[in-house]
Amino acid sequence: MRIGVLALQGAFIEHIHILRGLGVEAVEVRLPEHLDRLDGLIIPGGESTTIGKLAVQYGLLEPIRDMASAGKAIWGTCAGLILLARKLSGPRGKGADPPLLELMDITVARNAFGRQVDSFEVDLAIPALDAVSSPAEAGRPFHAVFIRAPRIEVVGPEIEVLARLDEGPVVAARQDHLLTTAFHPELTTDTRFHRYFLALAG
Ligand code: GLN
């Protein structure tokens, strides 16, 4: 299994370390040719306007869309979630909107949790992870780290909701082979989300 991690800006090295720890070949993606022969791609957290603009500059948006059409798994964490979205909502500055891949049928608000609590950690119940859990892990909540996180405000009919915050906003979702989390599993030692993604890629 060969997984690419978009390495333009943000928390890409943490994903690479976890993937390698799981025995997966992990490659940094900066140019379209780095997408060749991948089984899946992770778009990391960071600053979505920066990542999006660099992705346009390096000609990566179309090849990533082609990967999705070819049925390859793609996972966006935080800023990556924003880039996967079809639409943005909520207040935002002029000219600061990132270009979107428009692959997932979700509407997303950036920096949606307010200034005082723009970073926080919470334990989430995510029953879908049971599919990749060891007996010791089964049913255990997932410790989710949110950093100036986006929130999914509207989900289309093809979206499977994987987790909500306090039974409210959607913070993890799947659309077929596309996966998205508003939080950062790569900043914890719990590898269940990475294993869940590898199962989608395999
Ligand atoms: N606030 C960032 C953005 O809107 C996302 C934050 C993150 O990826 N941790 O791009």
Side-chain angles (χ1 to χ4, degrees), residues 44-51 77-80 82 98 110-111 146-150 182 184:
E47 213 291 315
S48 55
T49 305
T50 306
I51 297 176
T77 50
C78 204
I82 296 166
R110 293 176 69 185
N111 304 321
F146 290 81
I147 303 169
R148 291 180 57 74
H184 289 263

Side-chain angles (χ1 to χ4, degrees), residues 39-195:
D39 299 301
L41 176 71
I42 298 177
I43 306 177
E47 213 291 315
S48 55
T49 305
T50 306
I51 297 176
K53 284 185 175 164
L54 289 170
V56 169
Q57 207 170 313
Y58 294 122
L60 282 159
L61 287 194
E62 269 321 304
I64 292 174
R65 289 191 186 111
D66 291 345
M67 253 187 101
S69 322
K72 300 285 172 70
I74 304 182
W75 174 17
T77 50
C78 204
L81 173 154
I82 296 166
L83 296 172
L84 284 176
R86 186 157 292 166
K87 233 165 104 184
L88 291 180
S89 68
R92 45 196 208 267
K94 269 200 186 126
D97 284 356
L100 303 179
L101 287 159
E102 297 176 11
L103 289 171
M104 288 185 77
D105 195 4
I106 53 177
T107 303
V108 168
R110 293 176 69 185
N111 304 321
F113 294 100
R115 272 175 195 268
Q116 289 82 356
V117 289
D118 57 12
S119 299
F120 58 97
E121 302 187 13
V122 67
D123 284 338
L124 296 174
I126 309 185
L129 294 180
D130 284 349
V132 294
S133 293
S134 68
E137 292 169 325
R140 212 202 283 161
F142 194 89
H143 190 69
V145 179
F146 290 81
I147 303 169
R148 291 180 57 74
R151 154 160 111 187
I152 302 174
E153 308 241 290
V154 186
V155 297
E158 289 169 63
I159 299 290
E160 179 192 353
V161 171
L162 300 180
R164 288 181 186 271
L165 198 60
D166 302 325
E167 291 167 22
V170 177
V171 290
R174 182 175 78 90
Q175 178 181 319
D176 193 13
H177 53 284
L178 305 176
L179 176 65
T180 195
T181 49
F183 48 91
H184 289 263
E186 79 286 4
L187 299 183
T188 69
T189 53
D190 191 336
T191 61
R192 280 178 292 166
F193 248 107
H194 288 80
R195 286 182 268 142

